[in-house]
Amino acid sequence: MSELAPHPVEPPAQPAAAWDPFQLMDRMDEEALRRELEGVAPTDLVYVVKEGGQEVVGLSKTGVDECCMALVAQGQVIREEDLQHEVMGEGDDREALFKVKAARFAVSPAGQEVRLDQVIGVKRQPLFYEPAQLDLEARVPSKKYKGKTYRELLASAEGRDYLAWMAENFNEPEIRDFVRRILAGEEVVAQRDRQLNPHWYEAGAMKAARNARFRLIPGNVRAQVIATARQSGQTRVLDAQPGAMRGVSKATPEQIPTPAAAAPAERAEAVSRIGPYAPTEKQVAFYQRLAESPVFTEEERRRALEWLTTKATRQTIKDQIDWLKRQVETRRAKRADESAA
């Protein structure tokens, strides 16, 4: 039975926590890092968390990498220059504070460099997983039966033999007691002690570097990568409710939102939306002023208004405003050239 590890690498299922879509995205990045350490390359560039009729959109760590590659094509590079961390707290409550310094450079074809700006990215990383619930649907901490639940092992003679061995020999008393009780036919729910995250250093360093590089990426580059990822299906969609995640699926290709002009009643509806992630009135007003530009068609205005009233959030509207500004400038310049010709 040597396949049992004292501290399984696979993290326990996390309990329901206060609703925060960005914490969910952070957990998805940590899950992707764990798979990457196992040799599975991540492909999701964007996370979309759906809450009611709204969407919160964010770049994954892989998406930030993609943005950095897009900057290279523009003659710019982002470099991580320094990494520091310190461990704070005691016992199972210990956490590490990571700090990464990163800088953005413009590089000429001849190799000359100009330092454009630099930032600090930080991240607090717990050293231990949160206590996990033990029930029949929990996964068995075993390499031999990786991914199997206690209920599945109870359904076979071989699985029950394995559970009987765990009840006598497993190194965690909470699990030994839980297994004894389910073998006796009890429907029991227990709590497992907090487990050390064997990859806490890698996770903390990666997230701090991700945060630093993200701050150096221009909004138009982020918007371009997000739009491309949503069209190509490289998006992970989380259909969630406060404190729980109902399901995970791949996003279907979606049209890039385009600007829209609103009727007075529709504008009032957009401005009056409330919630912690709703756009501010100033953001909505600026978005609408850009959308009213004569460079856009009526169809473009209609489609963009639909995006504004159903999908815009305080974060995503920033990228869309950048996109609108570029479209206005580009189309005006094109019309001026055509008029001159």
Side-chain angles (χ1 to χ4, degrees):
M1 298 296 179
S2 59
E3 67 277 8
L4 280 172
H7 297 288
V9 173
E10 187 173 3
Q14 297 296 311
W19 169 242
D20 185 342
F22 299 105
Q23 285 186 2
L24 286 179
M25 295 179 191
D26 203 63
R27 291 179 186 174
M28 294 301 103
D29 261 353
E30 190 157 343
E31 177 187 322
L33 170 66
R34 190 177 68 255
R35 291 199 304 268
E36 190 172 2
L37 292 173
E38 295 173 352
V40 181
T43 58
D44 297 321
L45 303 182
V46 172
Y47 300 135
V48 179
V49 181
K50 293 185 176 182
E51 179 187 10
Q54 285 193 340
E55 289 184 348
V56 180
V57 181
L59 285 167
S60 68
K61 182 263 182 186
T62 308
V64 172
D65 293 343
E66 187 73 13
C67 289
C68 292
M69 294 301 297
L71 278 179
V72 171
Q74 300 178 15
Q76 298 181 25
V77 295
I78 293 177
R79 297 194 182 115
E80 298 151 14
E81 298 183 323
D82 185 52
L83 167 64
Q84 300 177 6
H85 84 283
E86 60 176 316
V87 178
M88 304 172 293
E90 298 180 356
D92 293 353
D93 294 325
R94 283 175 294 167
E95 60 181 7
L97 176 63
F98 287 84
K99 297 180 182 179
V100 169
K101 182 174 75 172
R104 182 163 59 106
F105 297 82
V107 183
S108 71
Q112 296 174 320
E113 296 184 356
V114 176
R115 190 184 191 91
L116 300 176
D117 47 8
Q118 71 176 42
V119 298
I120 297 292
V122 298
K123 181 61 185 177
R124 301 173 78 99
Q125 177 68 32
L127 271 62
F128 288 79
Y129 294 119
E130 290 299 316
Q133 179 172 291
L134 288 173
D135 56 29
L136 292 179
E137 304 306 325
R139 289 174 294 187
V140 178
S142 165
K143 293 181 181 178
K144 181 177 181 180
Y145 294 101
K146 184 176 181 180
K148 296 290 186 179
T149 65
Y150 289 99
R151 187 183 300 278
E152 290 173 322
L153 263 62
L154 284 171
S156 68
E158 181 182 355
R160 293 182 69 87
D161 288 343
Y162 192 85
L163 291 175
W165 181 91
M166 288 182 64
E168 298 298 327
N169 300 284
F170 199 75
N171 60 344
E172 295 180 36
E174 296 82 5
I175 290 185
R176 290 201 303 268
D177 180 67
F178 170 74
V179 172
R180 291 191 193 103
R181 296 175 68 179
I182 63 173
L183 284 172
E186 295 184 41
E187 285 280 348
V188 61
V189 176
Q191 194 88 345
R192 186 181 183 185
D193 279 347
R194 300 181 72 174
Q195 302 294 302
L196 177 67
N197 179 355
H199 305 304
W200 65 266
Y201 182 86
E202 292 88 343
M206 177 272 291
K207 293 175 186 177
R210 173 202 63 192
N211 293 346
R213 288 183 294 151
F214 178 85
R215 295 179 59 193
L216 292 168
I217 299 169
N220 63 319
V221 175
R222 297 200 302 267
Q224 179 184 1
V225 170
I226 289 173
T228 302
R230 299 196 73 166
Q231 284 188 313
S232 62
Q234 291 178 285
T235 303
R236 191 170 188 181
V237 178
L238 309 175
D239 187 11
Q241 287 181 331
M245 189 167 64
R246 290 201 303 262
V248 178
S249 62
K250 285 285 183 180
T252 55
E254 178 172 306
Q255 292 292 329
I256 302 175
T258 48
E266 292 172 322
R267 289 178 187 170
E269 178 185 357
V271 172
S272 63
R273 288 166 55 200
I274 59 174
Y277 311 113
T280 65
E281 292 187 9
K282 185 179 293 185
Q283 286 176 322
V284 172
F286 189 30
Y287 182 98
Q288 290 173 341
R289 283 201 302 272
L290 288 170
E292 289 170 356
S293 171
V295 302
F296 300 117
T297 66
E298 290 300 325
E299 175 62 17
E300 288 175 328
R301 292 190 180 96
R302 183 193 65 77
R303 288 163 54 195
L305 174 63
E306 181 180 352
W307 179 87
L308 178 64
T309 56
T310 60
K311 297 182 179 180
T313 68
R314 191 167 300 180
Q315 182 64 35
T316 58
I317 197 172
K318 296 177 183 178
D319 293 333
Q320 294 305 322
I321 286 174
D322 287 340
W323 188 85
L324 288 175
K325 289 166 64 178
R326 292 199 315 276
Q327 291 298 312
V328 170
E329 294 168 358
T330 302
R331 296 188 188 190
R332 279 179 178 171
K334 184 177 180 181
R335 288 188 177 185
D337 292 341
E338 291 174 350
S339 299

